Amino acid sequence: MKRIKTLAVKSEIGAGTRGASLGFDAIKIAALDFGSTFFKQFPEETIQDENAMLLEPSRSVHARRGKGVLAVCERVSSAVQQILHDGNFPIVIAGDHSSAAGTIAGIKSAYPESPIGVIWIDAHADLHSPYTTPSGNMHGMALAMALAEDNLAQRTNNPDESTVELWEQCKNLNNISPKLRYENLVFVTVRDTEPQEEYLIRQQKVKVFTTEEINNFGIDKIAREILIAVEPCDHIYISFDVDSMDATISRGTGTPAPNGITEKQVAALLQRLMQSPKVCCFEITEVNPTLDKENLMAENAFEILLKVTNQLLYD
Ligand SMILES: [Mn+2]
């Protein structure tokens, strides 16, 4: 049986919309409303955030609050590495998705000799760099950091010197670069992408499992194919951004997108994926209760989290 430790990353400086740092507490409130003892069951660690940076205007337009994002990623990385080193299973409950670059760095540092597999369940590809970003928000750059991807072929921006320097530090987090290879990345329900990201997905032949394929072929078949796609990897990380679910369900998130899957589909998919003993870390991210009605997103997220955890504990 795996011993779980939850990691609270109440950081939202990588997002353009305010409120994702409240996601963790909203999920905790949902648990209390359901009468669940979930948050008493497992040891918990909170990562120090840099949200005070939000009180000042951001100077770097192509990597907003990048210094803070890097600092949070470094802390998340150390914590994840330590949890894995202790033989435990980290469940990361994050604010905005930029900290996933830290999670991947931590896993890679724990297993430097092994290729890491990443199952990225998200409406977005998060493959932008300061050279291509339309917004400068770093939650759209998490995977590019892990892949050490500049995408200069599709360059639209001229980031200043300090931004370039910061980006180099982001890519070289823990002195391993890249931490992830395209062939070990799988996208699930990614659908709200920019042309620069679509170029990379095509050029690097990234495997994408669409909402339509999930609807047509069913969870079991898709889950099997996802696990086959990351078969060469001994350690698999699942990152679940709640905007992978359809915008009608996931209103309480910063960048909702239509044509997603349902909460039932995502729960079934995750339960099936969790059956693989190679899965070493699970993350849930981008719950923003300030955009929601009656904490619905956090309640959905908590129910999914509970199913994932039960699969881990009682498999
Ligand atoms: Mn995302």
Side-chain angles (χ1 to χ4, degrees):
M1 193 179 94
K2 284 170 181 149
R3 288 172 299 160
I4 289 169
K5 184 167 181 183
T6 56
L7 207 57
V9 189
K10 304 179 189 181
S11 173
E12 63 166 78
I13 50 176
T17 309
R18 300 283 56 85
S21 63
L22 303 173
F24 179 87
D25 291 309
I27 291 172
K28 214 167 195 175
I29 296 295
L32 294 174
D33 278 340
F34 288 139
S36 164
T37 57
F38 181 91
F39 286 95
K40 203 174 160 28
Q41 233 175 316
F42 311 111
E44 182 182 304
E45 182 179 342
T46 300
I47 299 295
Q48 189 198 330
D49 66 65
E50 296 289 335
N51 294 333
M53 287 180 94
L54 293 164
L55 298 169
E56 316 234 353
S58 156
R59 272 160 302 177
S60 173
V61 288
H62 299 123
R64 293 183 194 280
R65 303 181 175 90
K67 276 204 181 96
V69 169
L70 178 62
V72 170
C73 281
E74 280 169 348
R75 290 169 202 149
V76 170
S77 170
S78 310
V80 166
Q81 190 183 349
Q82 188 62 50
I83 295 169
L84 291 171
H85 180 81
D86 293 342
N88 294 335
F89 187 101
I91 289 186
V92 184
I93 303 177
D96 80 69
H97 216 166
S98 63
S99 63
T103 309
I104 296 172
I107 298 168
K108 185 63 185 171
S109 293
Y111 311 112
E113 307 302 325
S114 314
I116 306 300
V118 173
I119 301 172
W120 196 261
I121 307 172
D122 195 331
H124 309 96
D126 297 347
L127 285 173
H128 277 295
S129 76
Y131 301 100
T132 66
T133 174
S135 68
N137 297 325
M138 290 192 77
H139 66 165
M141 306 185 196
L143 280 174
M145 283 191 239
L147 293 155
E149 178 61 75
D150 293 333
N151 198 8
L152 292 175
Q154 295 284 303
R155 179 180 191 150
T156 50
N157 308 328
N158 280 311
D160 62 25
E161 207 176 305
S162 67
T163 302
V164 170
E165 198 181 309
L166 176 97
W167 180 243
E168 292 303 312
Q169 287 177 285
C170 287
K171 289 187 298 179
N172 287 304
L173 190 61
N174 294 1
N175 296 316
I176 306 175
S177 179
K179 292 157 194 77
L180 168 67
R181 298 198 175 278
Y182 278 104
E183 67 255 38
N184 297 324
L185 168 65
V186 178
F187 279 146
V188 183
T189 73
V190 167
R191 58 197 184 277
D192 187 9
T193 48
E194 274 80 50
Q196 300 98 321
E197 295 176 305
E198 287 154 23
Y199 168 86
L200 289 173
I201 292 169
R202 252 193 334 269
Q203 187 207 36
Q204 300 290 343
K205 301 186 175 64
V206 183
K207 291 157 224 85
V208 185
F209 293 92
T210 64
T211 299
E212 200 185 6
E213 286 171 315
I214 294 170
N215 289 337
N216 289 344
F217 299 112
I219 296 298
D220 253 14
K221 185 176 161 57
I222 296 296
R224 248 193 328 269
E225 287 187 16
I226 292 170
L227 290 173
I228 289 169
V230 288
E231 182 72 57
C233 305
D234 293 331
H235 305 282
I236 297 168
Y237 160 52
I238 300 178
S239 190
F240 165 51
D241 185 326
V242 293
D243 66 28
S244 56
M245 294 188 284
D246 192 77
T248 55
I249 303 157
S250 63
R251 270 181 303 211
T253 189
T255 49
N259 194 30
I261 52 178
T262 67
E263 74 277 25
K264 284 198 176 70
Q265 283 175 308
V266 88
L269 179 65
L270 288 169
Q271 278 179 296
R272 181 66 188 73
L273 294 174
M274 281 295 159
Q275 287 172 12
S276 165
K278 291 179 174 183
V279 176
C280 69
C281 178
F282 173 76
E283 176 174 69
I284 187 161
T285 186
E286 296 278 1
V287 171
N288 184 339
T290 68
L291 305 170
D292 209 0
K293 255 190 191 163
E294 290 161 356
N295 211 22
L296 197 68
M297 184 80 264
E299 289 187 357
N300 276 322
F302 178 68
E303 284 189 307
I304 291 164
L305 183 61
L306 208 54
K307 285 176 182 165
V308 166
T309 311
N310 285 339
Q311 187 66 51
L312 267 173
L313 291 175
Y314 306 114
D315 192 22

